[in-house]
Amino acid sequence: MAKEKFTGVKGMNDMLPQDAPIWQHVQKTCVGVLEAYGYQEIRTPILENTRVFTRGVGEVTDIVEKEMYSFTDSMNGDQLTLRPECTSAVVRAVNEHNLLYGTTQRLWYCGPMFRHERPQRGRYRQFHQLGAEALGMAGPDIDAEMILMLARMWRALGVGPVKLEMNTLGAQNERQAHREALIAYFEAHRGELDEDAERRLYTNPLRILDTKNPEMQALVEAAPKLLDFLGSESRAFLNRLEELVSAAGIEYLINPRLVRGLDYYNHTVFEWITDKLGAQGTICGGGRYDPLVEMLGGRPAPGVGFAMGMERVIELMREVGSVPVRTQTDVYVLHHGGESQTAAIALSEELRDLGVRVITHPGEASIKSQMKKADASGAALAVFATADELANGTVGVKALRAGASAYAEQTLEPLEGAAAKIAAALAH
Ligand code: ATP
Ligand code: MG
């Protein structure tokens, strides 16, 4: 019988061991920054009832119209969807557990999202977002704080310059007036609309501005701008946001065409964009979504959040060469099997008690072949718990690469106290 070779699902990637350090580094760095601003983690299931997203994201959006992995639960007929984004899920959980009762919440999440898109560089069917939601706080100070927090993350990650674009979607009534002007404008240019635009003309004309069709760029460029429909409150909101972002020394561009793909936004929307990743250059998007908590069944409460695409951020870091080198092993312990192995295992445990990352050679082999493994492991030090050394109550220690200079020459250490000395040498 021919052997069957299995492959993963198209557009869904394995994260291989060699990529683990960078993924862990990005999450750890971002979480460090999030904690500096008082954010706490929340985890929601990757499956939700489909209604959470159709309601939360909006019916007339790319996500809901064509990107969701939805299915019927064969056990009970429930309509379920693999989460395409996490904001709706977080708000669902916050409402369900009354987390906003008389208080505010600053929450972050990190995990896989699923969208049925055409896979290409920077666009996958399973991808990962790290995001945050600030709930119960209405002012532009919180929107600005979120921008500052992201700027701090970009600095900490060393992604190089990324452009901040901001816009406002105003308030509901302002969008309504703008919407009517947009419909009138696009009706007057009906012949130039593509299929998507035609379909959205009456359901979601704002979204037409978001088109990626190059043939429609001139048309949307000249369309009525929401900025011209803003009342004094929305203007003041945007002005204060701009003031605070400028005061922090962060450069930005107001892009009137930035409307973003999700339905629930009002006031602030923003994106961070790089020109180093081609068409998939948006590494992070976010905005204010004051209507969402109530739309998902909660008591009205304002919210603002962002989501960054981890794959794109990591790709950018590789592009600008800011991927940190971190070996995965500090010490490789060699031995002669039997009692020597028993001593090697005990010494390894002692080292681990001191926070050292250790590989004890598995099984038995010649010292020469163990040394090859030690070298390949990336360890800084080789420790010889070999029969002859142990017979003298010592172990041998030798640096395998530049760094642990105390052991540039192979050195004998008394077994008693060896672990502490080795750990100290590694700390230098
Ligand atoms: P795009 O315009 O690129 O489709 P979007 O508006 O659909 O993006 P959001 O829903 O705002 O994206 O998601 C926030 C971030 O998540 C994006 O800025 C991007 O970095 C990342 N992202 C979105 N979809 C994908 C995907 N299919 N693969 C990888 N990353 C993605
Ligand atoms: Mg999209």
Side-chain angles (χ1 to χ4, degrees), residues 11 57 62-63 67 84-85 109 113-130 210 212 260-262 264-265 270-272 279-286 306-313:
V57 176
D62 279 351
I63 292 181
E67 294 174 0
E85 58 101 40
Y109 61 83
M113 308 296 154
F114 304 84
R115 297 184 193 177
H116 199 279
E117 306 198 64
R118 192 169 66 78
Q120 52 198 289
R121 183 188 185 198
R123 193 175 290 287
Y124 310 102
R125 291 182 174 172
Q126 173 176 309
F127 61 101
H128 297 75
Q129 286 184 335
L130 184 146
D210 202 16
K212 292 183 174 103
R260 301 202 19 84
L262 279 57
Y264 47 58
Y265 288 107
F270 60 83
E271 285 188 351
W272 295 85
Q280 270 61 250
T282 304
I283 57 169
C284 176
F306 73 82
M308 74 168 73
M310 304 258 296
E311 281 83 358
R312 293 187 194 177
V313 169

Side-chain angles (χ1 to χ4, degrees), residues 59-79:
E59 303 271 359
V60 193
T61 55
D62 279 351
I63 292 181
V64 170
E65 282 183 17
K66 47 192 184 196
E67 294 174 0
M68 294 204 308
Y69 284 94
S70 298
F71 61 95
T72 307
D73 186 331
S74 60
M75 297 296 158
N76 57 12
D78 285 354
Q79 292 297 318

Side-chain angles (χ1 to χ4, degrees), residues 234-294:
S234 290
R235 280 190 176 282
F237 195 103
L238 178 61
N239 289 343
R240 183 64 180 145
L241 172 65
E242 290 190 63
E243 248 170 46
L244 290 171
V245 170
S246 299
I250 297 169
E251 281 177 38
Y252 64 89
L253 179 88
I254 296 291
N255 174 0
R257 288 200 28 219
L258 181 65
V259 293
R260 301 202 19 84
L262 279 57
D263 243 10
Y264 47 58
Y265 288 107
N266 67 336
H267 289 305
T268 314
V269 286
F270 60 83
E271 285 188 351
W272 295 85
I273 303 159
T274 171
D275 53 16
K276 297 206 170 55
L277 295 179
Q280 270 61 250
T282 304
I283 57 169
C284 176
R288 182 159 278 281
Y289 50 81
D290 295 336
L292 184 65
V293 175
E294 190 180 14

